[in-house]
């Protein structure tokens, strides 16, 4: 299948407008050279990458939709000293940066589910974007060797499950018992308070 490639430079204004419309606020959209997209919940700045070469339009749409979901639902309470969300300091006051990785996994699953429910038409963008990340860019460095997944920690496997497993792209092993308990909790989390509680438990479990 031939993928349509776009230059992010020629579509930056178009993508910025879409991001603002989806976010329902006048967020500040910045295009610059960076490895991936991000959203600063405190400054309300959505950063979209400029790549040297053209990238899949599907991937760029995924970046926009994912970061807009953070704009819509991730709280902007930041801890100035650590530069992390205040919730991460609650989880581990001494190492909030480490806790951030766990919270990101759980929060990503929640906000992506919520934006797909709010805008059902975006489901195709997520499917196509993550397929491109896996099949073309090898996002998780699996090099088509799915056996590597079984050796990963639970947090990493849950991350892959909610990005690729739920799309049927990969089979991610989750054991019955404690692991499936975490999976069910993440699947059913609707509030950020639930995300923090699950992230704390997962952080302590790992």
């Amino acid at each position: 299948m031939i993928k349509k490639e776009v230059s992010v430079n020629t579509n930056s204004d178009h993508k910025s407008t879409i991001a603002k419309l989806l976010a329902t606020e006048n967020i500040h959209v910045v295009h610059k050279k960076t490895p991936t997209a991000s959203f600063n919940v405190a400054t309300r700045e959505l950063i979209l990458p400029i790549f040297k070469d053209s990238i899949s339009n599907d991937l760029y749409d995924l970046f926009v939709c994912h970061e807009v979901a953070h704009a819509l639902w991730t709280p902007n309470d930041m801890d100035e000293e650590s530069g992390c969300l205040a919730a991460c300091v609650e989880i581990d006051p001494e190492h909030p940066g480490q806790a951030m990785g766990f919270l990101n996994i759980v929060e990503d699953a929640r906000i992506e589910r919520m934006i797909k429910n709010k805008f059902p038409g975006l489901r195709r963008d997520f499917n196509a974007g993550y397929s491109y990340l896996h099949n073309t860019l090898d996002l998780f460095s699996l090099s088509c060797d799915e056996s590597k997944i079984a050796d990963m920690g639970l947090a990493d496997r849950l991350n892959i499950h909610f990005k690729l497993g739920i799309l049927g792209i990969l089979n991610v092993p989750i054991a019955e018992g404690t692991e499936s308990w975490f999976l069910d909790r993440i699947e059913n989390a609707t509030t950020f308070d639930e995300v923090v509680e699950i992230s704390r438990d997962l952080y302590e479990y790992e």
Side-chain angles (χ1 to χ4, degrees), residues 1 9 40-41 58 66 77 89 136 138 171 202-203:
M1 178 179 178
N9 294 320
N40 187 312
V41 295
D58 296 326
H66 177 92
D77 299 325
V89 180
T136 304
D138 194 16
N171 179 33
L202 184 60
Y203 183 68

Side-chain angles (χ1 to χ4, degrees), residues 146-167:
E146 295 185 25
S147 65
K148 295 180 180 179
I149 300 176
D151 296 327
M152 295 179 175
L154 177 58
D156 287 334
R157 281 184 283 123
L158 288 169
N159 189 34
I160 296 174
H161 169 78
F162 284 105
K163 288 180 167 59
L164 301 176
I166 60 174
L167 304 178

Side-chain angles (χ1 to χ4, degrees), residues 12-29 39 44 46 48 64-65 67-69 71-73 115 118-119 122:
S12 60
D13 291 340
H14 172 66
K15 297 298 183 185
S16 297
T17 301
I18 291 176
K20 292 177 182 180
L21 288 172
L22 292 175
T24 66
E25 65 174 284
N26 190 27
I27 58 176
H28 186 208
V29 182
F39 182 73
R44 317 306 290 170
L46 192 161
L48 295 171
V64 171
C65 297
E67 301 307 333
V68 162
L72 288 168
W73 294 296
I115 199 167
K118 184 178 179 68
F119 304 107
L122 298 182

Side-chain angles (χ1 to χ4, degrees), residues 133-147:
L133 279 173
H134 173 62
N135 296 323
T136 304
L137 302 183
D138 194 16
L139 172 65
F140 295 101
S141 301
L142 297 173
S143 299
C144 299
D145 184 2
E146 295 185 25
S147 65

Side-chain angles (χ1 to χ4, degrees), residues 2-205:
I2 299 176
K3 289 186 175 290
K4 180 172 64 175
E5 303 291 329
V6 298
S7 166
V8 294
N9 294 320
T10 59
N11 286 285
S12 60
D13 291 340
H14 172 66
K15 297 298 183 185
S16 297
T17 301
I18 291 176
K20 292 177 182 180
L21 288 172
L22 292 175
T24 66
E25 65 174 284
N26 190 27
I27 58 176
H28 186 208
V29 182
V30 178
H31 294 81
K32 64 181 182 181
K33 292 182 179 179
T34 182
T36 188
S38 62
F39 182 73
N40 187 312
V41 295
T43 63
R44 317 306 290 170
E45 182 177 83
L46 192 161
I47 299 173
L48 295 171
I50 296 176
F51 292 96
K52 179 180 179 180
D53 301 314
S54 295
I55 63 170
S56 163
N57 194 44
D58 296 326
L59 177 57
Y60 206 72
D61 288 344
L62 169 63
F63 284 156
V64 171
C65 297
H66 177 92
E67 301 307 333
V68 162
H70 280 302
L72 288 168
W73 294 296
T74 301
N76 60 358
D77 299 325
M78 298 292 294
D79 176 69
E80 294 184 2
E81 183 177 346
S82 66
C84 298
L85 288 173
C88 298
V89 180
E90 295 178 19
I91 296 173
D92 187 343
E94 295 186 2
H95 307 97
Q98 294 181 18
M100 187 73 175
F102 288 80
L103 188 140
N104 271 335
I105 290 172
V106 182
E107 177 68 343
D108 279 359
R110 181 181 78 104
I111 56 101
E112 287 192 352
R113 181 175 63 252
M114 292 175 72
I115 199 167
K116 285 186 283 188
N117 288 339
K118 184 178 179 68
F119 304 107
L122 298 182
R123 294 180 185 276
R124 182 215 164 271
D125 297 294
F126 277 92
N127 291 3
Y130 276 124
S131 294
Y132 184 87
L133 279 173
H134 173 62
N135 296 323
T136 304
L137 302 183
D138 194 16
L139 172 65
F140 295 101
S141 301
L142 297 173
S143 299
C144 299
D145 184 2
E146 295 185 25
S147 65
K148 295 180 180 179
I149 300 176
D151 296 327
M152 295 179 175
L154 177 58
D156 287 334
R157 281 184 283 123
L158 288 169
N159 189 34
I160 296 174
H161 169 78
F162 284 105
K163 288 180 167 59
L164 301 176
I166 60 174
L167 304 178
I169 297 174
L170 288 177
N171 179 33
V172 181
I174 303 292
E176 292 294 330
T178 302
E179 292 191 355
S180 61
W181 176 67
F182 274 112
L183 178 65
D184 292 341
R185 292 175 68 194
I186 296 173
E187 284 180 337
N188 292 291
T190 57
T191 68
F192 187 71
D193 286 341
E194 290 175 291
V195 167
V196 175
E197 182 179 354
I198 296 168
S199 300
R200 179 185 292 109
D201 291 343
L202 184 60
Y203 183 68
E204 293 175 354
Y205 177 77

